Amino acid sequence: MSRSARRRPPARSASGRASGGASGGGRRRAQGRSSRRRRAKPSGGSGKTLVLVALVLVAVLGLGGYVLHDATRATATAGAASTGASTATAAATPSTGPDRAALAPATPSHSAPPTPAAFPTTYPNSAKGTYSYATGGTKRFGTGTLQRYKVAVENGLGVTPAAFAAQVDAILDNTQRGWSARGLWSFQRVSSGPVAFTIYLTSPNTTYHFCEQLIHLDIRESAPGGVNCSNNGDTVVENIARWIDLTQYYKGQPDLYHALAINHEVGHSLHHGHVSCAGAGDPAPVMMQQIKGLHGCVPNGWPYSADGTYITGPPAP
């Protein structure tokens, strides 16, 4: 408020007009108006002050909003950078341990048969001497005389019964070239009840003891790592050393060797004896002891050819 306005405050009535007598009233009213005009200056100054304060507040709020927006954007940018760094680190970190399932593709939404687990590349020379059996069973393979069978794996080999059984089943299910061709035999894996034979996967030392008891054969010097064997009846023994290492004639052909190993020993359970190579260049019969040499024949793991011919040769000496 200005000093002149404080110096001459006019007297006011209850109606808000300047008070006074009849004489000199016009002057007083003029003075009152002058006073009111003088008081208008501080009022105008307050308005400017309010405007200035409002402008300052707008500027402050605007700056605060900018700072807040900039801080939020910086936080989001830092978060994105951190996420990117974490993703890059995870991608660069190799998976360790025997199980790499986390890197496998996502399981499809539709049902699909499980893929047999991969076999290890190493094996123990001795295992526990106890066995786990494959559960469940299969449909009947073929139309001939039915041979039910079980599959067992010695504990401690690092191989699941399901993985080994899946490979055995696939071999015995071949109705074109396997033992079930031509309607002579049929096969079905079961987990209980009577069976024609049981197929075991065992360590080299267990295979040795098994075969010594079954057929009274010392197989330790038969081949490096030993061989497989059968008692020509209810027991088939597959040596994991042979299953993984194969033989010199089947290097790089594991599926073909596995077919040979199963078909040879199951052939004994079907009462087939050993035979020899029929002639140079011919496919080696599965009932030939191929681990001892092919003698001019070429590798073969199936009892029948693609056209249904039984592959055999002269009886072994």
Side-chain angles (χ1 to χ4, degrees):
M1 184 176 290
S2 67
R3 185 176 300 176
S4 62
R6 291 196 302 270
R7 187 173 62 248
R8 300 185 63 173
R12 288 183 175 275
S13 65
S15 62
R17 294 180 180 178
S19 65
S23 64
R27 184 175 181 181
R28 289 189 185 98
R29 284 193 299 270
Q31 288 176 347
R33 286 193 299 270
S34 175
S35 177
R36 284 194 297 271
R37 284 196 298 270
R38 289 191 190 99
R39 284 195 298 270
K41 289 182 181 179
S43 176
S46 298
K48 290 179 181 180
T49 302
L50 291 173
V51 171
L52 180 59
V53 170
L55 291 174
V56 171
L57 287 173
V58 170
V60 170
L61 290 174
L63 179 60
Y66 173 78
V67 171
L68 179 61
H69 171 73
D70 192 60
T72 302
R73 183 174 61 184
T75 302
T77 303
S82 175
T83 301
S86 299
T87 303
T89 301
T93 304
S95 175
T96 58
D99 187 3
R100 295 176 176 265
L103 300 180
T107 302
S109 58
H110 64 278
S111 298
T115 301
F119 270 68
T121 56
T122 60
Y123 50 84
N125 194 49
S126 297
K128 297 183 178 181
T130 58
Y131 306 90
S132 293
Y133 290 77
T135 59
T138 67
K139 65 178 183 179
R140 183 175 179 175
F141 309 139
T143 59
T145 303
L146 179 60
Q147 302 285 295
R148 291 186 177 90
Y149 64 96
K150 293 179 182 178
V151 169
V153 173
E154 185 177 8
N155 295 316
L157 295 183
V159 178
T160 66
F164 182 54
Q167 294 187 337
V168 172
D169 296 343
I171 294 167
L172 295 179
D173 188 23
N174 193 316
T175 57
Q176 293 183 328
R177 303 195 62 185
W179 286 117
S180 58
R182 297 178 62 179
L184 297 178
W185 303 99
S186 64
F187 301 91
Q188 182 180 28
R189 180 169 59 81
V190 297
S191 58
S192 62
V195 294
F197 53 85
T198 299
I199 300 177
Y200 295 87
L201 182 68
T202 59
S203 65
N205 273 350
T206 300
T207 303
Y208 160 67
H209 292 295
F210 236 138
C211 297
E212 185 179 49
Q213 294 171 8
L214 290 173
I215 56 178
H216 309 290
L217 175 67
D218 187 347
I219 63 171
R220 286 176 295 184
E221 303 301 326
S222 300
V227 297
N228 311 307
C229 67
S230 169
N231 66 347
N232 297 335
D234 62 0
T235 303
V236 169
V237 183
E238 299 289 345
N239 184 349
I240 193 173
R242 295 274 61 83
W243 199 264
I244 292 177
D245 293 341
L246 314 179
T247 69
Q248 59 178 320
Y249 309 108
Y250 286 86
K251 293 297 184 183
Q253 302 180 83
D255 291 342
L256 188 59
Y257 176 75
H258 294 163
L260 169 65
I262 293 297
N263 285 324
H264 182 94
E265 304 306 338
V266 168
H268 283 310
S269 292
L270 300 177
H271 310 295
H272 289 275
H274 289 150
V275 298
S276 302
C277 176
D282 288 346
V286 294
M287 296 314 300
M288 186 173 88
Q289 291 180 294
Q290 295 186 31
I291 197 169
K292 296 182 177 181
L294 296 182
H295 308 291
C297 280
V298 297
N300 167 58
W302 298 101
Y304 293 90
S305 65
D307 63 5
T309 302
Y310 180 56
I311 301 171
T312 188

